[in-house]
Amino acid sequence: LDRLMIAGMVLVGLFFAWKEGFVRHDTHSMTFFTVALLIPFFIEYEKPTGSSAISPVTFYALRYVVVVTALTGLLIAGGAMSYTPRTFIAKWNERIVDNYKVLTRLPTFKTNQANTVANRRQQYDLPNIRAAVGQATVDIFSWEQGVLFLNGLNWHPRPVFQSYAAYTSSLLAINGDFYADPQRAPEFVIFKLQEIDGRFPVASDTEALKIILRDYQPLFSEKGYLLLQHAPRGQGRVPEGKTLLTRQIKIGELIDIHTWNQQPLLLNLDIRKSWLGHLMSFFYRLPVVYLDLGTTDGGHQSYRIL
């Protein structure tokens, strides 16, 4: 039972590392290969007790096949960060030396960090926003939460406080309910539209965003940050509104919407997964899907859809 529990924990940990590394992929896959590099050393060799037991030579050969494979994957994935066979050990030693220097020169490290904070406070100083907000509650729509702390503002965050992490129906609803509740919604919002991974700019945190567009009034902008103040014009979540078009389409099919180009539009996509897609998304990830937009002036943009 002990061996079964340990093996289960190791396999579950390895699976989570795999999912974390490959759902987004790019350099995040270094996480999986780093864990895979260490996993073989959690498994100990025991003397054979039956005819089906493997020999020590086979055991250690398998261990180092896994280690070499994981190290190869780590170097391939880390190539974008200059992790190569020539620099891998050097970078590793560099981190060790840097950590040693920090530990032996803590007062200097503290001074340098304080200077960095002072420079950031000057760089992101927002005196007009700070004066307007005062001690009222404020949330920020970007991934730059540090701006709030550098300006000493009273942060009142939505539950999923990084918008790019709010993309499932349940997470969207949690943030939407937060902003729909007048007792919980912050008095001010600092808004700076930011997305990651080439996503469509307003495709994340949509339920909260719709309420902000309805219930918040723009005041002014400062250093690229737009200050909004709570001015409710409705109750609860924003209803879906009038349906203009419902259609089942195939990947790559063009939809012409220029008929409605004089009004704001809300697009809902229900992308169905096949049984193979469900299996693939559980063990690996789905292929990347893009939304291609063509404008009446001949422009073209392509955005990633989660």
Side-chain angles (χ1 to χ4, degrees), residues 204-218:
S204 299
D205 220 352
T206 50
E207 290 301 319
L209 183 58
K210 286 189 288 186
I211 296 173
I212 287 176
L213 291 172
R214 182 192 69 186
D215 290 350
Y216 282 81
Q217 180 72 25

PDB file of all heavy atoms in Angstrom, residues 204-218:
ATOM      1  N   SER A 204     -11.439  38.206 -22.636  1.00  0.00           N
ATOM      2  CA  SER A 204     -11.265  37.718 -21.274  1.00  0.00           C
ATOM      3  C   SER A 204     -12.096  38.552 -20.301  1.00  0.00           C
ATOM      4  O   SER A 204     -12.280  39.756 -20.499  1.00  0.00           O
ATOM      5  CB  SER A 204      -9.788  37.780 -20.864  1.00  0.00           C
ATOM      6  OG  SER A 204      -8.996  36.983 -21.708  1.00  0.00           O
ATOM      7  N   ASP A 205     -12.586  37.912 -19.251  1.00  0.00           N
ATOM      8  CA  ASP A 205     -13.318  38.608 -18.191  1.00  0.00           C
ATOM      9  C   ASP A 205     -14.515  39.374 -18.757  1.00  0.00           C
ATOM     10  O   ASP A 205     -14.836  40.494 -18.326  1.00  0.00           O
ATOM     11  CB  ASP A 205     -12.388  39.565 -17.446  1.00  0.00           C
ATOM     12  CG  ASP A 205     -12.644  39.560 -15.949  1.00  0.00           C
ATOM     13  OD1 ASP A 205     -13.634  38.936 -15.509  1.00  0.00           O
ATOM     14  OD2 ASP A 205     -11.860  40.172 -15.208  1.00  0.00           O
ATOM     15  N   THR A 206     -15.236  38.773 -19.696  1.00  0.00           N
ATOM     16  CA  THR A 206     -16.266  39.497 -20.446  1.00  0.00           C
ATOM     17  C   THR A 206     -17.471  39.903 -19.607  1.00  0.00           C
ATOM     18  O   THR A 206     -18.046  40.977 -19.832  1.00  0.00           O
ATOM     19  CB  THR A 206     -16.739  38.649 -21.639  1.00  0.00           C
ATOM     20  OG1 THR A 206     -17.065  37.329 -21.172  1.00  0.00           O
ATOM     21  CG2 THR A 206     -15.662  38.532 -22.678  1.00  0.00           C
ATOM     22  N   GLU A 207     -17.870  39.067 -18.631  1.00  0.00           N
ATOM     23  CA  GLU A 207     -19.054  39.415 -17.832  1.00  0.00           C
ATOM     24  C   GLU A 207     -18.793  40.661 -16.987  1.00  0.00           C
ATOM     25  O   GLU A 207     -19.653  41.533 -16.865  1.00  0.00           O
ATOM     26  CB  GLU A 207     -19.458  38.230 -16.950  1.00  0.00           C
ATOM     27  CG  GLU A 207     -20.029  37.047 -17.711  1.00  0.00           C
ATOM     28  CD  GLU A 207     -21.261  37.430 -18.515  1.00  0.00           C
ATOM     29  OE1 GLU A 207     -22.093  38.203 -18.005  1.00  0.00           O
ATOM     30  OE2 GLU A 207     -21.388  36.966 -19.664  1.00  0.00           O
ATOM     31  N   ALA A 208     -17.614  40.747 -16.393  1.00  0.00           N
ATOM     32  CA  ALA A 208     -17.259  41.941 -15.625  1.00  0.00           C
ATOM     33  C   ALA A 208     -17.100  43.143 -16.549  1.00  0.00           C
ATOM     34  O   ALA A 208     -17.515  44.262 -16.220  1.00  0.00           O
ATOM     35  CB  ALA A 208     -15.974  41.696 -14.837  1.00  0.00           C
ATOM     36  N   LEU A 209     -16.507  42.917 -17.711  1.00  0.00           N
ATOM     37  CA  LEU A 209     -16.265  44.014 -18.641  1.00  0.00           C
ATOM     38  C   LEU A 209     -17.574  44.634 -19.127  1.00  0.00           C
ATOM     39  O   LEU A 209     -17.693  45.860 -19.256  1.00  0.00           O
ATOM     40  CB  LEU A 209     -15.443  43.506 -19.829  1.00  0.00           C
ATOM     41  CG  LEU A 209     -15.023  44.530 -20.870  1.00  0.00           C
ATOM     42  CD1 LEU A 209     -14.206  45.644 -20.222  1.00  0.00           C
ATOM     43  CD2 LEU A 209     -14.212  43.863 -21.973  1.00  0.00           C
ATOM     44  N   LYS A 210     -18.593  43.805 -19.388  1.00  0.00           N
ATOM     45  CA  LYS A 210     -19.884  44.332 -19.841  1.00  0.00           C
ATOM     46  C   LYS A 210     -20.516  45.230 -18.774  1.00  0.00           C
ATOM     47  O   LYS A 210     -21.122  46.262 -19.102  1.00  0.00           O
ATOM     48  CB  LYS A 210     -20.825  43.179 -20.192  1.00  0.00           C
ATOM     49  CG  LYS A 210     -20.472  42.489 -21.499  1.00  0.00           C
ATOM     50  CD  LYS A 210     -21.533  41.493 -21.935  1.00  0.00           C
ATOM     51  CE  LYS A 210     -21.551  40.250 -21.081  1.00  0.00           C
ATOM     52  NZ  LYS A 210     -22.496  39.223 -21.588  1.00  0.00           N
ATOM     53  N   ILE A 211     -20.363  44.853 -17.513  1.00  0.00           N
ATOM     54  CA  ILE A 211     -20.928  45.676 -16.436  1.00  0.00           C
ATOM     55  C   ILE A 211     -20.144  46.966 -16.276  1.00  0.00           C
ATOM     56  O   ILE A 211     -20.723  48.037 -16.012  1.00  0.00           O
ATOM     57  CB  ILE A 211     -20.942  44.870 -15.117  1.00  0.00           C
ATOM     58  CG1 ILE A 211     -21.880  43.667 -15.274  1.00  0.00           C
ATOM     59  CG2 ILE A 211     -21.384  45.728 -13.945  1.00  0.00           C
ATOM     60  CD1 ILE A 211     -21.859  42.714 -14.120  1.00  0.00           C
ATOM     61  N   ILE A 212     -18.828  46.902 -16.452  1.00  0.00           N
ATOM     62  CA  ILE A 212     -18.010  48.118 -16.385  1.00  0.00           C
ATOM     63  C   ILE A 212     -18.429  49.097 -17.486  1.00  0.00           C
ATOM     64  O   ILE A 212     -18.557  50.302 -17.249  1.00  0.00           O
ATOM     65  CB  ILE A 212     -16.513  47.759 -16.494  1.00  0.00           C
ATOM     66  CG1 ILE A 212     -16.037  47.111 -15.189  1.00  0.00           C
ATOM     67  CG2 ILE A 212     -15.676  48.988 -16.802  1.00  0.00           C
ATOM     68  CD1 ILE A 212     -14.613  46.646 -15.217  1.00  0.00           C
ATOM     69  N   LEU A 213     -18.667  48.591 -18.693  1.00  0.00           N
ATOM     70  CA  LEU A 213     -19.101  49.457 -19.791  1.00  0.00           C
ATOM     71  C   LEU A 213     -20.457  50.091 -19.502  1.00  0.00           C
ATOM     72  O   LEU A 213     -20.753  51.203 -19.970  1.00  0.00           O
ATOM     73  CB  LEU A 213     -19.169  48.657 -21.091  1.00  0.00           C
ATOM     74  CG  LEU A 213     -17.827  48.197 -21.661  1.00  0.00           C
ATOM     75  CD1 LEU A 213     -18.031  47.247 -22.832  1.00  0.00           C
ATOM     76  CD2 LEU A 213     -16.992  49.395 -22.093  1.00  0.00           C
ATOM     77  N   ARG A 214     -21.302  49.392 -18.736  1.00  0.00           N
ATOM     78  CA  ARG A 214     -22.636  49.910 -18.422  1.00  0.00           C
ATOM     79  C   ARG A 214     -22.628  50.815 -17.190  1.00  0.00           C
ATOM     80  O   ARG A 214     -23.275  51.872 -17.184  1.00  0.00           O
ATOM     81  CB  ARG A 214     -23.605  48.743 -18.166  1.00  0.00           C
ATOM     82  CG  ARG A 214     -25.035  49.162 -17.870  1.00  0.00           C
ATOM     83  CD  ARG A 214     -25.858  47.997 -17.352  1.00  0.00           C
ATOM     84  NE  ARG A 214     -25.435  47.573 -16.014  1.00  0.00           N
ATOM     85  CZ  ARG A 214     -25.910  46.510 -15.376  1.00  0.00           C
ATOM     86  NH1 ARG A 214     -26.809  45.739 -15.966  1.00  0.00           N
ATOM     87  NH2 ARG A 214     -25.476  46.192 -14.160  1.00  0.00           N
ATOM     88  N   ASP A 215     -21.890  50.441 -16.158  1.00  0.00           N
ATOM     89  CA  ASP A 215     -22.050  51.064 -14.834  1.00  0.00           C
ATOM     90  C   ASP A 215     -20.902  51.968 -14.400  1.00  0.00           C
ATOM     91  O   ASP A 215     -20.907  52.449 -13.266  1.00  0.00           O
ATOM     92  CB  ASP A 215     -22.231  49.978 -13.773  1.00  0.00           C
ATOM     93  CG  ASP A 215     -23.565  49.271 -13.893  1.00  0.00           C
ATOM     94  OD1 ASP A 215     -24.414  49.739 -14.668  1.00  0.00           O
ATOM     95  OD2 ASP A 215     -23.759  48.233 -13.232  1.00  0.00           O
ATOM     96  N   TYR A 216     -19.917  52.221 -15.253  1.00  0.00           N
ATOM     97  CA  TYR A 216     -18.792  53.073 -14.871  1.00  0.00           C
ATOM     98  C   TYR A 216     -18.613  54.193 -15.883  1.00  0.00           C
ATOM     99  O   TYR A 216     -18.741  53.994 -17.095  1.00  0.00           O
ATOM    100  CB  TYR A 216     -17.501  52.252 -14.750  1.00  0.00           C
ATOM    101  CG  TYR A 216     -17.420  51.458 -13.461  1.00  0.00           C
ATOM    102  CD1 TYR A 216     -18.094  50.248 -13.348  1.00  0.00           C
ATOM    103  CD2 TYR A 216     -16.718  51.924 -12.355  1.00  0.00           C
ATOM    104  CE1 TYR A 216     -18.049  49.512 -12.169  1.00  0.00           C
ATOM    105  CE2 TYR A 216     -16.655  51.198 -11.179  1.00  0.00           C
ATOM    106  CZ  TYR A 216     -17.327  49.996 -11.087  1.00  0.00           C
ATOM    107  OH  TYR A 216     -17.282  49.276  -9.911  1.00  0.00           O
ATOM    108  N   GLN A 217     -18.330  55.382 -15.368  1.00  0.00           N
ATOM    109  CA  GLN A 217     -18.190  56.583 -16.171  1.00  0.00           C
ATOM    110  C   GLN A 217     -16.712  56.961 -16.279  1.00  0.00           C
ATOM    111  O   GLN A 217     -16.017  57.078 -15.272  1.00  0.00           O
ATOM    112  CB  GLN A 217     -18.964  57.745 -15.514  1.00  0.00           C
ATOM    113  CG  GLN A 217     -18.903  59.056 -16.259  1.00  0.00           C
ATOM    114  CD  GLN A 217     -19.736  59.025 -17.531  1.00  0.00           C
ATOM    115  OE1 GLN A 217     -20.681  58.266 -17.637  1.00  0.00           O
ATOM    116  NE2 GLN A 217     -19.377  59.846 -18.502  1.00  0.00           N
ATOM    117  N   PRO A 218     -16.180  57.146 -17.484  1.00  0.00           N
ATOM    118  CA  PRO A 218     -14.781  57.548 -17.627  1.00  0.00           C
ATOM    119  C   PRO A 218     -14.558  58.982 -17.144  1.00  0.00           C
ATOM    120  O   PRO A 218     -15.357  59.872 -17.437  1.00  0.00           O
ATOM    121  CB  PRO A 218     -14.519  57.419 -19.131  1.00  0.00           C
ATOM    122  CG  PRO A 218     -15.867  57.524 -19.765  1.00  0.00           C
ATOM    123  CD  PRO A 218     -16.837  56.938 -18.786  1.00  0.00           C
TER     124      PRO A 218
END
